[in-house]
Amino acid sequence: MASTASDAWLFERFSVAKQRDWPVAPYTLLADGGSPERHFWMRADPVHLRVGRDSLSLADSASFDVSRAEADALVETLNRHFGETMLFYPLQPARWYVRLQRSPDMHTTPPSAAGWEAIEERLPSGPDAMPFHARMNEAQMLLHEHPVNAERESRGAPALNSIWFWGGGTIDDSGTRPFSTVFGDDPLARGLALAASIRARALPRDAGAMLAATGGEGVALIIMDPLGSARDDAENARFLGRRAAIERDWLEPLLAALRSGRIGMLTLSLPGADFLLEVEIVRSDLRYFWRRRKPLAVYS
Protein backbone atom coordinates (compact mmCIF):
# COMPACT_ATOMS: atom_id res chain seq x y z
CA MET A 1 0.00 0.00 0.00
CA ALA A 2 1.24 3.46 -0.81
CA SER A 3 -1.56 5.93 -1.29
CA THR A 4 -3.52 8.48 0.69
CA ALA A 5 -6.54 6.15 0.69
CA SER A 6 -4.54 3.23 2.09
CA ASP A 7 -3.01 5.39 4.83
CA ALA A 8 -6.48 6.54 5.88
CA TRP A 9 -7.72 2.93 5.81
CA LEU A 10 -4.90 1.80 8.11
CA PHE A 11 -5.42 4.61 10.62
CA GLU A 12 -9.16 3.96 10.71
CA ARG A 13 -8.65 0.22 11.28
CA PHE A 14 -6.38 0.97 14.21
CA SER A 15 -8.80 3.65 15.52
CA VAL A 16 -6.15 6.38 15.27
CA ALA A 17 -7.79 9.77 14.77
CA LYS A 18 -6.70 12.24 12.14
CA GLN A 19 -4.89 15.22 13.63
CA ARG A 20 -4.26 18.17 11.33
CA ASP A 21 -2.82 15.50 9.03
CA TRP A 22 -2.89 11.76 9.31
CA PRO A 23 0.03 11.31 11.78
CA VAL A 24 2.26 9.21 9.54
CA ALA A 25 5.58 10.48 10.93
CA PRO A 26 5.52 9.16 14.54
CA TYR A 27 4.37 5.71 13.43
CA THR A 28 6.89 5.26 10.63
CA LEU A 29 9.55 6.62 13.00
CA LEU A 30 8.64 3.81 15.42
CA ALA A 31 8.88 1.27 12.60
CA ASP A 32 12.29 2.67 11.65
CA GLY A 33 13.64 2.08 15.16
CA GLY A 34 13.05 5.53 16.64
CA SER A 35 11.36 6.48 19.91
CA PRO A 36 8.56 8.96 19.19
CA GLU A 37 7.44 9.15 22.85
CA ARG A 38 4.93 12.04 23.16
CA HIS A 39 6.84 14.42 20.87
CA PHE A 40 5.43 15.94 17.69
CA TRP A 41 7.22 14.50 14.65
CA MET A 42 7.02 15.41 10.99
CA ARG A 43 8.42 13.69 7.93
CA ALA A 44 10.97 15.79 6.02
CA ASP A 45 11.77 13.47 3.12
CA PRO A 46 14.32 14.12 0.37
CA VAL A 47 12.64 14.84 -2.97
CA HIS A 48 13.57 15.85 -6.47
CA LEU A 49 12.10 19.09 -7.79
CA ARG A 50 11.96 19.57 -11.53
CA VAL A 51 11.67 23.06 -12.98
CA GLY A 52 9.03 23.28 -15.69
CA ARG A 53 8.08 26.10 -17.99
CA ASP A 54 5.67 27.67 -15.52
CA SER A 55 5.95 25.66 -12.31
CA LEU A 56 7.82 23.17 -10.15
CA SER A 57 6.91 19.48 -10.03
CA LEU A 58 8.01 16.82 -7.57
CA ALA A 59 9.19 13.22 -7.54
CA ASP A 60 9.40 11.51 -4.17
CA SER A 61 12.06 9.01 -3.15
CA ALA A 62 9.77 6.06 -3.91
CA SER A 63 10.71 6.56 -7.57
CA PHE A 64 14.50 6.51 -7.12
CA ASP A 65 17.20 5.18 -4.80
CA VAL A 66 18.91 7.03 -1.95
CA SER A 67 21.99 5.51 -0.31
CA ARG A 68 22.87 5.65 3.37
CA ALA A 69 26.02 7.64 2.63
CA GLU A 70 24.11 10.17 0.49
CA ALA A 71 21.47 10.69 3.17
CA ASP A 72 24.05 11.16 5.92
CA ALA A 73 26.07 13.69 3.90
CA LEU A 74 23.03 15.76 2.94
CA VAL A 75 21.59 15.76 6.46
CA GLU A 76 24.93 16.77 7.93
CA THR A 77 24.82 19.89 5.74
CA LEU A 78 21.21 20.63 6.71
CA ASN A 79 21.85 20.19 10.42
CA ARG A 80 24.95 22.38 10.31
CA HIS A 81 22.88 25.14 8.73
CA PHE A 82 19.66 24.89 10.75
CA GLY A 83 21.38 24.06 14.03
CA GLU A 84 19.21 23.41 17.05
CA THR A 85 16.21 25.17 15.52
CA MET A 86 15.45 22.08 13.43
CA LEU A 87 17.42 18.84 13.48
CA PHE A 88 16.92 16.25 10.75
CA TYR A 89 17.02 12.54 11.60
CA PRO A 90 17.60 10.28 8.56
CA LEU A 91 16.50 7.03 10.22
CA GLN A 92 16.20 5.52 6.76
CA PRO A 93 17.98 6.90 3.67
CA ALA A 94 14.68 7.95 2.09
CA ARG A 95 12.74 8.70 5.29
CA TRP A 96 13.87 11.75 7.24
CA TYR A 97 12.25 13.22 10.34
CA VAL A 98 12.18 16.45 12.33
CA ARG A 99 10.96 16.84 15.92
CA LEU A 100 9.07 20.03 16.75
CA GLN A 101 8.39 21.70 20.08
CA ARG A 102 4.71 22.13 19.25
CA SER A 103 2.16 21.12 16.67
CA PRO A 104 2.09 23.70 13.85
CA ASP A 105 -1.30 24.91 12.68
CA MET A 106 -1.02 23.76 9.10
CA HIS A 107 -1.99 20.99 6.71
CA THR A 108 0.41 19.08 4.47
CA THR A 109 0.23 16.77 1.46
CA PRO A 110 2.01 13.39 1.18
CA PRO A 111 4.63 13.49 -1.58
CA SER A 112 2.94 10.53 -3.26
CA ALA A 113 -0.17 12.70 -3.69
CA ALA A 114 1.86 15.59 -5.16
CA GLY A 115 3.20 13.39 -7.94
CA TRP A 116 4.62 15.12 -10.99
CA GLU A 117 1.96 17.82 -10.83
CA ALA A 118 2.69 21.47 -10.10
CA ILE A 119 3.38 21.67 -6.39
CA GLU A 120 2.24 25.22 -5.66
CA GLU A 121 -1.16 24.01 -4.45
CA ARG A 122 0.39 21.09 -2.57
CA LEU A 123 2.73 23.05 -0.30
CA PRO A 124 1.97 23.24 3.46
CA SER A 125 -0.99 25.53 4.10
CA GLY A 126 -2.39 27.26 7.15
CA PRO A 127 -1.41 29.98 9.65
CA ASP A 128 1.98 28.37 10.48
CA ALA A 129 2.92 27.30 6.96
CA MET A 130 5.14 30.19 5.83
CA PRO A 131 8.17 29.34 8.05
CA PHE A 132 8.14 25.84 6.54
CA HIS A 133 8.05 27.29 3.02
CA ALA A 134 11.11 29.34 3.98
CA ARG A 135 12.93 26.28 5.34
CA MET A 136 12.19 24.36 2.16
CA ASN A 137 13.64 27.23 0.12
CA GLU A 138 16.73 27.34 2.32
CA ALA A 139 17.16 23.61 1.95
CA GLN A 140 16.93 23.91 -1.84
CA MET A 141 19.75 26.46 -1.86
CA LEU A 142 21.90 24.25 0.39
CA LEU A 143 21.32 21.09 -1.63
CA HIS A 144 21.38 22.56 -5.13
CA GLU A 145 25.16 22.34 -5.62
CA HIS A 146 25.93 19.77 -2.93
CA PRO A 147 28.67 17.28 -3.96
CA VAL A 148 26.21 14.42 -3.46
CA ASN A 149 23.92 15.90 -6.09
CA ALA A 150 26.77 16.71 -8.43
CA GLU A 151 27.74 13.04 -8.32
CA ARG A 152 24.15 11.89 -8.78
CA GLU A 153 23.62 14.11 -11.79
CA SER A 154 26.89 12.90 -13.33
CA ARG A 155 25.43 9.38 -13.48
CA GLY A 156 21.98 10.50 -14.56
CA ALA A 157 20.23 10.08 -11.19
CA PRO A 158 17.71 12.69 -9.98
CA ALA A 159 19.22 15.27 -7.65
CA LEU A 160 17.95 15.29 -4.06
CA ASN A 161 17.45 19.02 -4.26
CA SER A 162 14.73 19.69 -1.69
CA ILE A 163 12.85 18.35 1.31
CA TRP A 164 9.12 17.79 1.74
CA PHE A 165 7.36 18.33 5.08
CA TRP A 166 4.31 16.15 5.67
CA GLY A 167 2.51 13.69 7.92
CA GLY A 168 3.03 15.43 11.27
CA GLY A 169 1.55 14.25 14.55
CA THR A 170 1.98 12.43 17.84
CA ILE A 171 1.43 8.80 18.81
CA ASP A 172 -2.18 8.01 19.72
CA ASP A 173 -2.95 5.88 22.80
CA SER A 174 -6.12 4.28 21.43
CA GLY A 175 -4.97 0.77 22.33
CA THR A 176 -7.09 -0.84 19.57
CA ARG A 177 -5.83 -4.25 18.43
CA PRO A 178 -7.81 -5.10 15.28
CA PHE A 179 -5.36 -7.77 14.10
CA SER A 180 -3.38 -10.54 15.76
CA THR A 181 -0.48 -10.26 13.29
CA VAL A 182 0.56 -7.76 10.61
CA PHE A 183 2.61 -9.09 7.69
CA GLY A 184 4.42 -6.76 5.29
CA ASP A 185 7.19 -4.26 4.83
CA ASP A 186 5.03 -1.11 4.79
CA PRO A 187 6.49 1.13 7.54
CA LEU A 188 3.16 2.72 8.49
CA ALA A 189 1.43 -0.63 8.99
CA ARG A 190 4.40 -1.91 10.92
CA GLY A 191 4.50 1.20 13.13
CA LEU A 192 0.78 1.01 13.88
CA ALA A 193 1.19 -2.65 14.81
CA LEU A 194 4.14 -1.95 17.11
CA ALA A 195 2.27 0.90 18.82
CA ALA A 196 -0.65 -1.47 19.48
CA SER A 197 1.64 -4.30 20.70
CA ILE A 198 0.71 -6.46 17.72
CA ARG A 199 3.21 -8.83 16.12
CA ALA A 200 4.73 -7.21 13.03
CA ARG A 201 6.46 -9.63 10.66
CA ALA A 202 8.07 -9.43 7.24
CA LEU A 203 5.99 -10.53 4.27
CA PRO A 204 6.38 -14.32 3.82
CA ARG A 205 7.16 -15.78 0.42
CA ASP A 206 3.58 -16.97 -0.10
CA ALA A 207 0.23 -17.67 1.56
CA GLY A 208 1.29 -21.14 2.66
CA ALA A 209 4.19 -19.75 4.67
CA MET A 210 1.92 -17.09 6.16
CA LEU A 211 -0.68 -19.64 7.26
CA ALA A 212 2.02 -21.82 8.76
CA ALA A 213 3.36 -18.85 10.72
CA THR A 214 -0.03 -18.00 12.20
CA GLY A 215 -1.34 -21.50 12.68
CA GLY A 216 -4.52 -20.30 11.01
CA GLU A 217 -5.57 -18.46 14.17
CA GLY A 218 -6.53 -14.83 14.70
CA VAL A 219 -7.06 -12.08 12.15
CA ALA A 220 -4.01 -11.40 10.02
CA LEU A 221 -3.39 -8.26 7.96
CA ILE A 222 -1.22 -8.79 4.88
CA ILE A 223 0.21 -5.66 3.26
CA MET A 224 1.58 -5.94 -0.27
CA ASP A 225 3.29 -3.30 -2.34
CA PRO A 226 0.93 -1.73 -4.90
CA LEU A 227 1.04 -3.01 -8.44
CA GLY A 228 1.41 0.54 -9.76
CA SER A 229 0.95 1.28 -13.43
CA ALA A 230 2.87 0.56 -16.60
CA ARG A 231 4.36 3.33 -18.71
CA ASP A 232 6.15 1.22 -21.35
CA ASP A 233 6.38 -2.37 -22.60
CA ALA A 234 9.07 -3.37 -20.10
CA GLU A 235 7.07 -2.06 -17.15
CA ASN A 236 3.92 -3.69 -18.54
CA ALA A 237 5.69 -7.07 -18.63
CA ARG A 238 6.79 -6.67 -15.01
CA PHE A 239 3.29 -5.56 -14.02
CA LEU A 240 1.66 -8.60 -15.63
CA GLY A 241 4.25 -10.95 -14.14
CA ARG A 242 3.77 -9.59 -10.63
CA ARG A 243 -0.01 -9.68 -10.90
CA ALA A 244 0.16 -13.32 -12.00
CA ALA A 245 2.51 -14.11 -9.09
CA ILE A 246 0.10 -12.56 -6.57
CA GLU A 247 -2.75 -14.68 -7.90
CA ARG A 248 -0.62 -17.85 -7.91
CA ASP A 249 1.19 -17.41 -4.60
CA TRP A 250 -1.48 -15.66 -2.53
CA LEU A 251 -5.03 -15.47 -3.84
CA GLU A 252 -5.41 -19.03 -5.08
CA PRO A 253 -3.93 -20.64 -1.90
CA LEU A 254 -6.05 -18.39 0.32
CA LEU A 255 -9.17 -19.28 -1.65
CA ALA A 256 -8.31 -22.98 -1.22
CA ALA A 257 -7.84 -22.40 2.52
CA LEU A 258 -11.24 -20.73 2.68
CA ARG A 259 -12.84 -23.58 0.76
CA SER A 260 -11.33 -26.18 3.12
CA GLY A 261 -12.38 -24.26 6.24
CA ARG A 262 -8.83 -23.49 7.31
CA ILE A 263 -9.71 -19.78 7.32
CA GLY A 264 -13.13 -18.26 7.89
CA MET A 265 -13.07 -15.04 5.86
CA LEU A 266 -10.97 -13.34 3.20
CA THR A 267 -11.11 -9.59 2.59
CA LEU A 268 -9.27 -7.97 -0.32
CA SER A 269 -8.71 -4.21 -0.02
CA LEU A 270 -7.55 -2.44 -3.18
CA PRO A 271 -6.58 1.22 -2.66
CA GLY A 272 -6.46 3.84 -5.36
CA ALA A 273 -5.29 7.44 -5.17
CA ASP A 274 -8.46 8.61 -3.43
CA PHE A 275 -10.70 5.55 -3.18
CA LEU A 276 -10.61 2.02 -1.79
CA LEU A 277 -12.42 -1.07 -3.07
CA GLU A 278 -13.06 -3.92 -0.63
CA VAL A 279 -14.11 -7.43 -1.65
CA GLU A 280 -15.12 -9.76 1.20
CA ILE A 281 -15.86 -13.47 0.98
CA VAL A 282 -16.76 -16.17 3.50
CA ARG A 283 -16.95 -19.92 2.94
CA SER A 284 -20.71 -19.97 2.36
CA ASP A 285 -20.25 -17.59 -0.58
CA LEU A 286 -18.41 -20.35 -2.44
CA ARG A 287 -21.68 -22.30 -2.70
CA TYR A 288 -23.05 -19.84 -5.22
CA PHE A 289 -21.62 -21.74 -8.14
CA TRP A 290 -23.42 -19.54 -10.70
CA ARG A 291 -21.17 -16.62 -9.77
CA ARG A 292 -18.31 -16.66 -12.19
CA ARG A 293 -14.82 -16.58 -10.75
CA LYS A 294 -13.10 -13.28 -11.57
CA PRO A 295 -9.33 -12.78 -11.95
CA LEU A 296 -7.47 -10.07 -10.05
CA ALA A 297 -7.28 -8.01 -13.25
CA VAL A 298 -11.02 -7.29 -12.98
CA TYR A 299 -10.44 -5.40 -9.70
CA SER A 300 -7.05 -3.85 -10.42
Side-chain angles (χ1 to χ4, degrees):
M1 289 188 175
S3 75
T4 302
S6 62
D7 288 354
W9 184 91
L10 281 168
F11 282 117
E12 288 166 358
R13 289 301 180 278
F14 282 87
S15 298
V16 174
K18 189 174 186 179
Q19 298 170 27
R20 287 180 176 83
D21 296 323
W22 288 113
V24 172
Y27 289 95
T28 58
L29 178 106
L30 183 62
D32 288 337
S35 300
E37 299 177 345
R38 297 301 304 166
H39 300 298
F40 183 94
W41 292 91
M42 182 172 287
R43 288 278 289 270
D45 294 339
V47 296
H48 171 71
L49 294 185
R50 182 174 63 181
V51 180
R53 179 179 300 175
D54 302 312
S55 62
L56 288 172
S57 57
L58 172 150
D60 70 359
S61 52
S63 61
F64 49 80
D65 293 327
V66 183
S67 73
R68 175 82 269 171
E70 289 173 331
D72 289 343
L74 293 171
V75 166
E76 192 276 333
T77 296
L78 292 172
N79 284 342
R80 188 170 61 246
H81 173 79
F82 288 103
E84 295 297 324
T85 60
M86 177 173 284
L87 286 175
F88 292 77
Y89 299 86
L91 295 193
Q92 291 293 324
R95 290 195 291 274
W96 301 357
Y97 301 85
V98 291
R99 189 179 74 186
L100 305 181
Q101 295 299 316
R102 65 178 184 86
S103 169
D105 186 3
M106 70 178 189
H107 296 278
T108 67
T109 301
S112 60
W116 277 109
E117 301 176 0
I119 66 170
E120 284 76 6
E121 300 301 319
R122 306 286 188 169
L123 292 169
S125 62
D128 293 336
M130 291 311 296
F132 289 87
H133 292 191
R135 288 162 184 160
M136 292 170 71
N137 288 334
E138 289 179 61
Q140 289 172 37
M141 291 186 286
L142 289 168
L143 301 179
H144 176 65
E145 295 183 351
H146 196 284
V148 163
N149 282 325
E151 193 279 329
R152 288 179 65 88
E153 291 177 331
S154 71
R155 54 185 168 87
L160 306 173
N161 55 9
S162 190
I163 54 175
W164 192 259
F165 293 110
W166 70 285
T170 58
I171 286 282
D172 187 282
D173 294 326
S174 64
T176 301
R177 303 182 77 250
F179 308 104
S180 53
T181 309
V182 173
F183 293 96
D185 302 318
D186 179 79
L188 177 57
R190 179 175 175 81
L192 286 163
L194 293 173
S197 299
I198 296 172
R199 288 181 298 173
R201 308 180 66 165
L203 186 69
R205 65 181 181 276
D206 54 32
M210 184 276 297
L211 290 171
T214 62
E217 298 180 354
V219 179
L221 173 65
I222 306 163
I223 302 289
M224 295 186 181
D225 290 337
L227 286 170
S229 58
R231 290 174 292 184
D232 54 37
D233 290 342
E235 287 191 3
N236 188 53
R238 288 192 292 271
F239 173 88
L240 294 175
R242 186 158 182 273
R243 190 177 69 189
I246 290 174
E247 291 206 50
R248 180 190 67 238
D249 298 338
W250 288 94
L251 299 185
E252 291 179 2
L254 288 173
L255 185 61
L258 183 68
R259 184 175 290 112
S260 68
R262 189 176 181 184
I263 62 175
M265 178 183 291
L266 178 63
T267 302
L268 183 65
S269 301
L270 302 170
D274 54 6
F275 69 91
L276 187 132
L277 170 67
E278 285 198 329
V279 182
E280 185 174 279
I281 182 171
V282 295
R283 190 183 183 192
S284 61
D285 291 328
L286 301 177
R287 298 171 186 165
Y288 300 115
F289 58 87
W290 57 85
R291 293 179 180 174
R292 295 182 60 190
R293 179 180 173 184
K294 298 179 181 179
L296 179 61
V298 171
Y299 302 105
S300 61

